[in-house]
Amino acid sequence: MWGGRELSSCGSRLLGALGSRSRGARAQAARFTRRAEIQFNWTPQTKPWVFSDCRIMWFKSYRMTFACLSRMKIHRYPWTRLYSTSQTTVDSNEIKTFLALAHRWWDEQGVYAPLHSMNDLRVPFIRDNLLKTVAHHQPGKPLSGMKILDVGCGGGLLTEPLGRLGASVIGIDPVDENIKTAQHHKSFDPVLDKRIEYRACSLEEIVQETAETFDAVVASEVVEHVIDLETFIQCCCEVLKPGGSLFITTINKTQLSYALGIVFAEQIAGIVPKGTHTWEKFISPEKLESILESNGLSVQTVTGMLYNPLSGYWHWSENTSLNYAAHAVKSKAQEHPVPAEFVFKGETEELRDKDSTNPGVQEELKK
C-alpha cells in the first residue's frame, strides 16, 4: 500500500512537472511568437537556410536568363550580318604601319625608293594594255578620256604619272595622312590638280556610288595588305565598266619570297621597314587567277618582276617566284536574248509573206 501511495505521489509530481513545463513551453512559445511578430514588423529577418534557398533560386534564374540571351544572340547573329554593309578589307595593323611612314612617300632615296623605280615598269604596263582597247589616242595624252581608280594610292606615286598621261584618276587610301601627303604634292602642278582627285576611304565604301564607272582599276602593291582578298577583288570588279581592265602587282607566296622579301629586305638589308609585309598574305598567281576568273575577270597577262637592290632598278622576268604583275579584263555584258513570243511572231510574218497556196505553209499558219 505504501509503495502504491508513493508511486501515486511520484506520478502526480511527475505529471505536474510535465504539465508545468508544458505550460512554461507554451508561454515561452507565445512570448517568442510575439517577439518575432514585433521583430518582423520592424526588422524583417530571414533564416540562413531560407537565404540559401533564395540564393540558389537567384542563381538558377540568372543562369536561365543568360542561356536565353545566348540563344537570342545566336539566332540574331546571321540577321545582323545580312543587314550590315559590305565587309571591310582594311587591316588595322597595316594602317598603323603606313601611318608612321606617311610623310616619307616622296623621298626617292628613302623607304619607298623601290616603288618610285617600279614606275619604270608599271606605268608603261598599264598604258600599253589600255591603248589596246582604243582605236585612237592623243599624242602626249594617250589615256585622255579614261577614268582610272588607284586603290591604295598612298602618297600618289602611281596616281600622278597616270594623270600626266591624260587620264582622270581617283586615288583612294584608308590612311588619312597618306591622302594629305598626296594632295599636298599634287597641288604644285595645276594640271594634275584638275585631273586627280583623292579620297580617304576604303574601296568597299565607294562601291555603290561608283559601280561600273572606271575604265581601269589599279591595285599596285596592295593585295598583300588586305585581310579579305576575295571581297577586295569583287569590289574591284563591281566598279569596273564591262570590258574594263584590272591591274595588279604583288608578291608571290613562295619560300624564296619569304627569304628575300621578308628576311633579307626587311630584317637584314632594311630596304623596307620591318613588319611591312606578312608572308601569309602573299598570294600565288594561280590562286589570284582563280579568284579573278570566279568574279568574271579574264586574265590576259601574268609576268614576273625582279628588283636589283644594288642598282635600285626593276626589270621584267619570266620568273614569277618573287614579284609579278597581272592584267585582267572584265567580261562585257551579254546581249539580252530576244523573247520567244517575238521570235515566233517574226517567223509567222515570214510564213505569211510566202506563197499561201503552199499546203505546208497553210498548215503551219493554222498551228
Side-chain angles (χ1 to χ4, degrees):
M1 294 295 295
W2 177 83
R5 286 195 301 270
E6 187 176 11
L7 180 61
S8 177
S9 60
C10 289
S12 298
R13 288 194 297 271
L14 179 61
L15 291 174
L18 291 174
S20 62
R21 290 184 179 182
S22 177
R23 287 191 297 273
R26 287 196 296 271
Q28 185 177 1
R31 288 194 299 273
F32 178 80
T33 302
R34 289 194 298 274
R35 191 183 306 114
E37 291 175 356
I38 294 172
Q39 291 178 353
F40 180 77
N41 291 333
W42 293 99
T43 55
Q45 293 182 350
T46 307
K47 293 182 179 180
W49 65 272
V50 175
F51 175 77
S52 177
D53 287 348
C54 292
R55 181 172 57 190
I56 293 173
M57 292 176 63
W58 184 84
F59 274 113
K60 287 183 178 180
S61 177
Y62 176 79
R63 186 164 58 249
M64 292 175 63
T65 304
F66 183 79
C68 181
L69 291 175
S70 299
R71 288 194 296 270
M72 290 176 64
K73 182 179 180 182
I74 292 173
H75 288 300
R76 287 174 60 87
Y77 182 70
W79 176 83
T80 304
R81 287 288 297 271
L82 291 175
Y83 183 78
S84 63
T85 56
S86 58
Q87 185 178 355
T88 183
T89 62
V90 179
D91 191 336
S92 58
N93 294 326
E94 301 278 357
I95 295 293
K96 296 177 182 178
T97 301
F98 288 100
L99 181 61
L101 302 171
H103 64 286
R104 306 182 65 181
W105 278 103
W106 289 98
D107 182 4
E108 297 185 9
Q109 305 301 323
V111 295
Y112 291 121
L115 293 183
H116 281 273
S117 61
M118 187 184 287
N119 281 352
D120 295 338
L121 294 187
R122 57 184 179 177
V123 172
F125 180 72
I126 296 170
R127 178 199 61 200
D128 295 344
N129 282 285
L130 287 179
L131 291 180
K132 295 177 182 178
T133 62
V134 295
H136 304 283
H137 60 83
Q138 298 181 21
K141 295 189 296 182
L143 300 184
S144 179
M146 292 190 179
K147 295 182 179 179
I148 300 177
L149 177 65
D150 186 8
V151 184
C153 63
L157 303 191
L158 180 58
T159 315
E160 290 195 5
L162 294 176
R164 290 191 179 93
L165 292 175
S168 299
V169 191
I170 295 180
I172 62 173
D173 197 283
V175 182
D176 186 63
E177 293 299 322
N178 288 346
I179 294 299
K180 291 180 180 179
T181 300
Q183 289 176 335
H184 175 73
H185 194 270
K186 77 154 184 174
S187 64
F188 295 103
D189 190 333
V191 176
L192 292 181
D193 203 25
K194 297 179 180 179
R195 296 179 185 172
I196 297 176
E197 176 186 354
Y198 288 113
R199 300 184 188 180
C201 64
S202 62
L203 175 59
E204 55 270 16
E205 291 176 342
I206 65 168
V207 167
Q208 293 183 351
E209 62 177 284
T210 60
E212 296 188 353
T213 299
F214 300 100
D215 299 285
V217 173
V218 179
S220 184
E221 307 304 299
V222 172
V223 299
E224 66 270 22
H225 299 288
V226 301
I227 57 176
D228 189 346
L229 182 57
E230 293 188 1
T231 300
F232 181 83
I233 297 298
Q234 181 181 358
C235 292
C236 290
C237 184
E238 290 181 8
V239 299
L240 273 176
K241 294 179 180 179
S245 295
L246 173 61
F247 298 94
I248 294 176
T249 65
T250 187
I251 309 174
N252 198 347
K253 190 176 183 179
T254 61
Q255 294 180 352
L256 184 61
S257 68
Y258 177 79
L260 296 181
I262 295 180
V263 176
F264 176 77
E266 294 186 13
Q267 302 176 8
I268 298 177
I271 299 175
V272 293
K274 292 182 180 180
T276 301
H277 296 110
T278 303
W279 186 78
E280 287 76 14
K281 291 183 179 180
F282 293 173
I283 183 171
S284 65
E286 293 78 16
K287 185 174 181 180
L288 178 61
E289 183 174 353
S290 175
I291 298 175
L292 293 172
E293 294 286 351
S294 64
N295 284 278
L297 292 160
S298 176
V299 178
Q300 306 295 310
T301 306
V302 175
T303 182
M305 304 169 65
L306 292 179
Y307 178 70
N308 187 339
L310 299 178
S311 64
Y313 290 102
W314 292 82
H315 64 271
W316 295 113
S317 172
E318 295 181 357
N319 188 349
T320 60
S321 59
L322 288 174
N323 295 71
Y324 64 93
H327 171 221
V329 175
K330 181 179 179 179
S331 60
K332 295 183 179 180
Q334 296 180 354
E335 296 181 358
H336 298 287
V338 181
E341 57 180 350
F342 294 106
V343 174
F344 181 76
K345 182 179 179 180
E347 292 178 351
T348 304
E349 291 177 352
E350 290 180 0
L351 289 174
R352 287 176 179 174
D353 292 339
K354 293 181 179 180
D355 188 3
S356 58
T357 57
N358 192 334
V361 173
Q362 292 180 356
E363 293 179 0
E364 189 69 24
L365 291 175
K366 291 179 181 180
K367 294 179 180 180

